[in-house]
Amino acid sequence: MQSYHLAQFNIARMRAPLRDPIMATFVEQLEEINAIADQTPGFIWRLVGDDAIGATSIRPYEDDRWLINLSVWESIEALSNYVYRSQHGRSMQNRRDWFEKSNQATFVLWWIESGHIPTVEEAQIRLEQLRQHGTTPTAFTFRQPFPSPNQRSEV
């Protein structure tokens, strides 16, 4: 039976360019927060740009102030533990200091076959699917998760 992992993609529009003093405390934390992700049980992979810390050098949108994050996890529980129960969650309490509020979805989850590494383009498509169709088995959120395809076939 095929096994699956969870892919996650999120985007955030910075309130100012990355080198602006407004973004300084975000940038100062980035290496530590990514290291926590790397060491979290259930972490598999994350997109890394030229800076080798995170994906801050990867800008797939026309508007250069959009930052992206793309990663792969063993399960929804593993990702949830990192997002909400680690230093990541505590630091993100200040996200409005660094990022603008969006009226659209900026976070999406989907299942991938084990061993597959999602591309940024694939992630952008999933986010757009979520925005256009709401939560479905192919693009969902923590609030409305779907089981992996092999769990669905067992039911």
Side-chain angles (χ1 to χ4, degrees):
M1 176 179 277
Q2 177 66 45
S3 65
Y4 293 86
H5 289 142
L6 184 73
Q8 80 76 33
F9 179 62
N10 66 77
I11 63 174
R13 188 169 190 277
M14 296 180 289
R15 295 183 61 202
L18 202 56
R19 287 187 164 77
D20 190 283
I22 289 173
M23 300 300 296
T25 54
F26 170 76
V27 172
E28 289 166 6
Q29 298 179 68
L30 195 55
E31 189 170 358
E32 177 187 358
I33 297 300
N34 285 331
I36 291 168
D38 294 349
Q39 298 165 10
T40 298
F43 170 82
I44 295 173
W45 172 88
R46 68 180 166 85
L47 180 66
V48 177
D50 296 337
D51 57 9
I53 296 171
T56 58
S57 63
I58 301 170
R59 305 289 175 85
Y61 293 98
E62 278 187 40
D63 182 344
D64 207 27
R65 294 212 343 235
W66 284 101
L67 289 184
I68 67 169
N69 181 289
L70 176 60
S71 61
V72 176
W73 297 79
E74 288 180 358
S75 66
I76 291 174
E77 295 77 22
L79 176 59
S80 179
N81 284 336
Y82 167 69
V83 170
Y84 298 114
R85 293 179 189 89
S86 74
Q87 178 59 34
H88 173 274
R90 290 183 287 282
S91 71
M92 287 298 104
Q93 290 175 351
N94 299 322
R95 69 184 169 275
R96 295 291 173 246
D97 294 344
W98 314 305
F99 301 107
E100 295 176 356
K101 185 175 173 90
S102 177
N103 294 328
Q104 297 185 48
T106 58
F107 177 83
V108 66
L109 303 170
W110 72 100
W111 294 105
I112 59 174
E113 292 184 2
S114 298
H116 174 69
I117 299 298
T119 65
V120 172
E121 294 77 21
E122 177 185 347
Q124 290 174 298
I125 290 168
R126 298 294 178 142
L127 182 59
E128 192 56 34
Q129 287 174 338
L130 178 67
R131 287 175 171 179
Q132 289 187 11
H133 306 289
T135 55
T136 66
T138 59
F140 53 92
T141 64
F142 279 129
R143 198 171 282 177
Q144 290 184 286
F146 283 82
S148 70
N150 59 343
Q151 290 173 320
R152 288 193 300 264
S153 65
E154 293 172 3
V155 176

